[in-house]
Amino acid sequence: MTIVRLGYVAMSMNLKNASPSQTMTFKQFSAIKDREAAIARLERIAVSNLENCLRLLKHNEAHDIHFFRFSSRLIPLANHEELSDWKYMHPLKEALSKIGDFLDGHPMRVDFHPDHFVLLNTPKVDTLNMSIKTLAMHEALLKGMRLNPAHRCVLHVGGGYDDKEKALEQFIHNWGFTPSGIQQMIILENDDTTFTLDDTLYLCEKLGIPLVFDYHHHLANFENDNWAEQWERVAATWNHSELPVKMHISSPKSDKDFRAHADYINAAMFMEFLQNIKGSVPEIHCMIEAKMKDSALFKLAEDLRTNPDLTFIDSSSFEI
């Protein structure tokens, strides 16, 4: 038996006026002549984003959803070079604490997936420093919620830079310059264009990093199409984590646009994955990456309810 829990990304299609990614461009910031007033505006936007995160968590609790990915765009312009003197964490303390209070009373797995410009295998020192700075912001947000940041930040390996083998070794090199707290936070995902499951496993096993298996990415980019042969190794990368194994599920938008994410999840495609891994791990958390967010989760759960191999525990969790 394996317990399967479904999660979704960042925002709800059902909760109105609850965007956690409200933003402000640097051009808009610069147009406000009073710098203190401009920073106060940024802080109000960031607090509003966090308040909407709390609303989303309450929505999840009401629908028995135990797994959620926060937006990585909670603090507009947080790492902009012109705002290096902005101490943004202090004004967010209360809003973050309220999220922590809610999670204390309603335990739920939450994590982050920073944007594609966070590159730990970059050959450029400036880019590496900015990536580490961005990851430090994610670590601070998690600590502000009183959460253990370990294994709550999923990244792609990074760029191929026209030499994949060299790019993998560059990741290992840069890992040595990455602070230990941030190392502990990272989990790595196979991607759909460059670094396959085999490549990502190589890094994860060498450096002791949990691997997030993205099934759709694997179908788009693989060396060995039989991923199930590697599953035992994938699961083993989580042996030293307090969190259950995590994977990503999405469906191709079309045969022509295979890499793009569809609005919803193809239940048959997901079941093919589950039939291969059932019984191999006690629990697995499956992050739905679909355009329709929580609506995709609700539809997938509805589509799966008639499957005789599954026993539902609640609205978003079942046993196989």
Side-chain angles (χ1 to χ4, degrees):
M1 280 288 198
T2 294
I3 293 172
V4 180
R5 297 200 188 276
L6 305 177
Y8 71 98
V9 175
M11 60 191 297
S12 167
M13 303 302 290
N14 297 274
L15 203 60
K16 303 304 176 191
N17 303 314
S19 171
S21 305
Q22 301 163 92
T23 193
M24 182 182 191
T25 65
F26 186 68
K27 186 177 179 182
Q28 290 168 329
F29 176 86
S30 302
I32 301 171
K33 296 217 165 43
D34 183 334
R35 184 177 168 85
E36 282 189 23
I39 286 177
R41 172 93 183 276
L42 278 178
E43 290 171 354
R44 284 196 300 275
I45 293 170
V47 168
S48 177
N49 284 340
L50 290 172
E51 287 171 345
N52 283 340
C53 283
L54 182 55
R55 288 182 62 203
L56 287 160
L57 294 177
K58 289 177 177 177
H59 166 72
N60 295 346
E61 175 64 22
H63 291 89
D64 299 324
I65 297 169
H66 314 280
F67 185 23
F68 181 66
R69 179 192 297 167
F70 286 121
S71 167
S72 283
R73 299 176 184 177
L74 297 173
I75 313 174
L77 305 180
N79 286 338
H80 196 283
E81 57 191 10
E82 297 293 329
L83 282 157
S84 58
D85 60 331
W86 178 30
K87 308 296 184 201
Y88 54 77
M89 287 304 297
H90 182 71
L92 306 184
K93 191 174 179 182
E94 185 180 349
L96 287 167
S97 185
K98 285 180 179 176
I99 292 174
D101 291 343
F102 185 80
L103 291 171
D104 283 345
H106 308 87
M108 193 181 302
R109 183 176 186 167
V110 294
D111 61 15
F112 284 105
H113 192 343
D115 287 330
H116 57 86
F117 58 78
V118 176
L119 295 164
L120 285 188
N121 78 332
T122 176
K124 296 180 178 177
V125 173
D126 287 351
T127 305
L128 179 61
N129 288 340
M130 181 55 75
S131 297
I132 289 172
K133 189 177 176 184
T134 300
L135 290 168
M137 177 191 74
H138 287 79
E139 183 183 29
L141 288 168
L142 289 163
K143 286 181 174 177
M145 299 172 195
R146 301 189 302 279
L147 294 172
N148 178 359
H151 307 143
R152 291 188 191 266
C153 220
V154 61
L155 295 180
H156 292 177
V157 174
Y161 305 112
D162 299 321
D163 187 338
K164 194 167 75 165
E165 298 305 316
K166 188 177 177 182
L168 285 168
E169 295 310 313
Q170 186 71 48
F171 188 103
I172 295 167
H173 175 78
N174 290 355
W175 193 248
F177 296 100
T178 304
S180 59
I182 287 173
Q183 286 185 357
Q184 191 66 14
M185 189 170 64
I186 301 303
I187 48 184
L188 286 179
E189 165 193 6
N190 57 299
D191 69 58
D192 57 349
T193 58
T194 307
F195 296 102
T196 63
L197 173 60
D198 297 73
D199 297 327
T200 313
L201 254 178
Y202 164 72
L203 284 183
C204 288
E205 291 178 336
K206 190 174 184 71
L207 300 174
I209 304 171
L211 190 149
V212 178
F213 178 55
D214 190 307
Y215 186 45
H216 179 189
H217 284 179
H218 173 76
L219 296 176
N221 178 35
F222 59 81
E223 289 162 48
N224 172 9
D225 64 342
N226 190 355
W227 63 269
E229 289 179 352
Q230 310 275 46
W231 178 252
E232 192 175 320
R233 290 171 62 198
V234 171
T237 65
W238 289 87
N239 284 350
H240 301 295
S241 178
E242 294 179 3
L243 297 169
V245 174
K246 175 187 172 182
M247 65 85 68
H248 288 171
I249 183 68
S250 54
S251 296
K253 189 174 182 180
S254 65
D255 288 343
K256 188 177 178 183
D257 198 3
F258 191 85
R259 287 184 167 88
H261 292 176
D263 287 352
Y264 295 97
I265 300 298
N266 180 317
M269 177 181 166
F270 185 43
M271 279 304 304
E272 191 174 321
F273 168 79
L274 293 178
Q275 293 289 5
N276 274 285
I277 63 98
K278 64 183 179 183
S280 66
V281 291
E283 186 167 337
I284 184 167
H285 293 175
C286 304
M287 179 56 71
I288 292 168
E289 296 188 319
K291 300 291 185 188
M292 292 302 289
K293 310 293 184 180
D294 55 341
S295 290
L297 185 154
F298 296 142
K299 185 176 188 307
L300 178 60
E302 183 185 332
D303 291 346
L304 294 173
R305 275 196 178 273
T306 56
N307 192 303
D309 292 338
L310 308 181
T311 304
F312 270 76
I313 300 166
D314 58 32
S315 300
S316 74
S317 310
F318 52 86
E319 286 183 332
I320 182 169

